[in-house]
Each structure stands twice: as structure tokens, then as C-alpha cells.
Amino acid sequence: MNAPFKAFLIDQDENKKVVSGMATLDRDGLDAGEVLIRVRYSSINYKDALAATGAGKIIRRFPCAGGIDLSGEVVESADVRFRPGDKVIATSFDIGVAHHGGYAEYARVPGGWVIPLPDGLDLFESMALGTAGFTAALAIVRMEDNGLAPANGPVVVTGATGGVGGLAIDMLARLGYHVVALTGKESETDYLKMLGATEVRLRNGIDFDKVRPLEAAQWAGAVDNVGGQILHWVLATMKQAGTVASIGNAASFNLNTTVFPFILRGVSLLGVDSGYMGFPTRQRVWDRLAADLKPRHLAAVTRTIAFDDLPNAFDAFIKGEIKGRTVVNIGA
């Protein structure tokens, strides 16, 4: 059966301008891979919005069905680990950027990109987490592997109202950490405390231009989604043997800092690459997302949109008007 199905395709026009919209594909038009999946849900990440609008140079192959996350059931598999009917997740790697992704009713992907849906999650919850949840959890796992524990002291989360930031707060609070949310949105104080933040600090209360190489030590750990001056401040305010997970560059990809936090306080700066993190770490992180790292407020911070409403959803992400997570109902 090779009937056409709906997909959200990102392409270029004759002037190399990114254009996108609903279209049709058939199975013969899908990319190579061992596992054919009937997609039930996807999600919207900031990266998806950059790709769909052309606001960022994300897409590496045109045309490409967007959506870096997907969950659904296996239809066909040449990989012996998967059988028709198995519920699975596929995120990251080249999905939605150089390989047709989750914004389509069917997806065919390499078996090495697929994991079985862990016990403790359903297909919807897996996409309420998606790449954002996986990234937040990977940061926490990496910091814990580097010695972080609740008894060590507070953990600060920057870019706290974003998808990764909010989920990181919820996960850390569930584990018993004293979480401090750093945000530029005073109006979201109650929201951040609902997620589990013990304290909320406002960015406008810090003069980032006057941050010295070392400031008063405050944090045992940090999840930084922002980069730039804020990451410099985070490093300068870390406690002895503190650990920082660098996740994003919402403010800047530049980092003008000194070696003092590293050589005088033994601070560790950990890079978090959720895109190409392989196995067994990828499976380990998803297993924990189904257990002790499953956010307590996941349903409360998640909204659902219909597949047909997807083309109109991206601008709000680019404008920074969205908090929490957005799940796309592809075919549930």
C-alpha cells in the first residue's frame, strides 16, 4: 500500500528563501531506514520553529518533512529488535533536518535512531517530553555522573521559562534539589514556583557587564540554556567543584570568561549534545524519564494542537511567547 499521506514540508523557492506548508508524500518518497513508523505524535521545539520559518539555518536537505521528534507504532521493520505494533520513540540525529521527520503521518528511519517506548510513558507523554525533556534529563544525568547531589547545594536554571528550562526545574525539584530559576519574566514567578523552583531570581537584578572573574560562590550545579554573559556569570558564581551543563545559546553562542572558575574552584563545564548522543546513554536517559526524572507537572505545562494547525504555530515560538511544551497530534 503506497497511498499518499499528509506531511509538513520545508523547502526553498527559486530565490533560496525557506517556504513551508502542508503537502503530501507517499511511502516511496520517504528516506531510507529499517523501521517504518505510523506517527501518532510529534512536538514543537524552538529548533523546529527556526527550521520551519527559515529564521535559523537548520535544514540541511530540501525538501524535508520537519519535526525532530516523533512517537508511534512500528508498521514494518527490517531491524530484528522491532516488530509491527511496537510502540517506539525517535528523536534527534538527522530527523527533521536532513531526514524526513515527525511532521508526517508516516516516517521511515534507521533502526539505530529508534528506542522502544519505556514502561511508565505513553506515546503522548513521550512527545510532551521530546527533545526538550531528553536534553534536560541528559544534563542532569551528566551532572550527577560528575558528582552533583542535592546535599551539595542549590542548582540554578537559566532560561527558566523555556521548554528545557521548565522541565529541568521540575525534574531537579522531584529529585530533592534546591532549585533557583533565573528568568527575565517576572510575570512567570508563580509558574516557575509551581514547577518546583524554591527561588526565582530576575535577570534585571544582575549587572552582567560588571561580573568579575570570580564572584561569591552560590551554586553547586547549573543548567544553562542561554550562553553569553549569563554563562560567564554562572561560572563566576559556582561553588567549589560545581558542575555546569551547557545546553543552549538563546542569548549568545559566544563565551567571554576566564580560567579562574576551573583552576581555582575546580568547576566542570559539561557540554550537552542531545542530538547525537548514542546508546546506551540514550536508552538510560529515556528509562529515567519514565521513572525518577518524569516531571510531576508534565500535563499542566503541555498543550496539544492538531496537525492541520501546525503551520500557524511557529511564529509564537520565534517571538518567545510560548512557555511549556506543545504536542502535535499527527494521527492519534
Side-chain angles (χ1 to χ4, degrees), residues 125-141:
E125 290 172 327
S126 72
M127 291 297 96
L129 291 164
T131 289
F134 178 79
T135 304
L138 178 59
I140 294 168
V141 168

Side-chain angles (χ1 to χ4, degrees), residues 75-283:
V75 177
E76 299 172 358
S77 177
D79 187 316
V80 296
R81 295 172 299 171
F82 304 104
R83 296 180 297 179
D86 285 352
K87 295 180 178 180
V88 294
I89 306 167
T91 66
S92 311
F93 298 98
D94 289 339
I95 296 171
V97 294
H99 189 105
H100 286 318
Y103 296 160
E105 292 178 305
Y106 289 88
R108 184 185 291 118
V109 297
W113 297 357
V114 182
I115 69 165
L117 181 73
D119 291 339
L121 287 179
D122 59 32
L123 292 174
F124 177 87
E125 290 172 327
S126 72
M127 291 297 96
L129 291 164
T131 289
F134 178 79
T135 304
L138 178 59
I140 294 168
V141 168
R142 291 216 62 201
M143 291 194 296
E144 288 178 337
D145 288 347
N146 203 65
L148 183 66
N152 295 9
V155 178
V156 64
V157 178
T158 71
T161 60
V164 177
L167 292 173
I169 290 169
D170 202 334
M171 294 176 199
L172 287 162
R174 176 175 179 172
L175 293 174
Y177 286 92
H178 178 112
V179 185
V180 178
L182 182 70
T183 182
K185 301 175 181 178
E186 185 174 6
S187 61
E188 300 298 345
T189 296
D190 289 343
Y191 169 76
L192 294 169
K193 288 188 174 180
M194 179 273 292
L195 291 177
T198 308
E199 304 173 46
V200 177
R201 291 191 60 175
L202 299 177
R203 289 201 305 264
N204 61 16
I206 303 168
D207 189 343
F208 295 104
D209 291 326
K210 294 183 179 179
V211 175
R212 296 172 296 181
L214 288 178
E215 296 282 356
Q218 301 180 58
W219 323 115
V223 177
D224 177 61
N225 296 279
V226 180
Q229 287 183 312
I230 291 177
L231 180 52
H232 168 57
W233 171 81
V234 166
L235 291 167
T237 52
M238 294 303 295
K239 300 177 75 170
Q240 196 73 27
T243 180
V244 180
S246 176
I247 286 179
N249 60 339
S252 175
F253 55 78
N254 291 313
L255 177 58
N256 182 17
T257 192
T258 75
V259 298
F260 287 169
F262 310 114
I263 65 174
L264 297 180
R265 290 184 180 167
V267 173
S268 296
L269 179 59
L270 309 175
V272 177
D273 172 23
S274 60
Y276 293 93
M277 176 58 68
F279 294 84
T281 299
R282 182 169 290 272
Q283 184 71 60

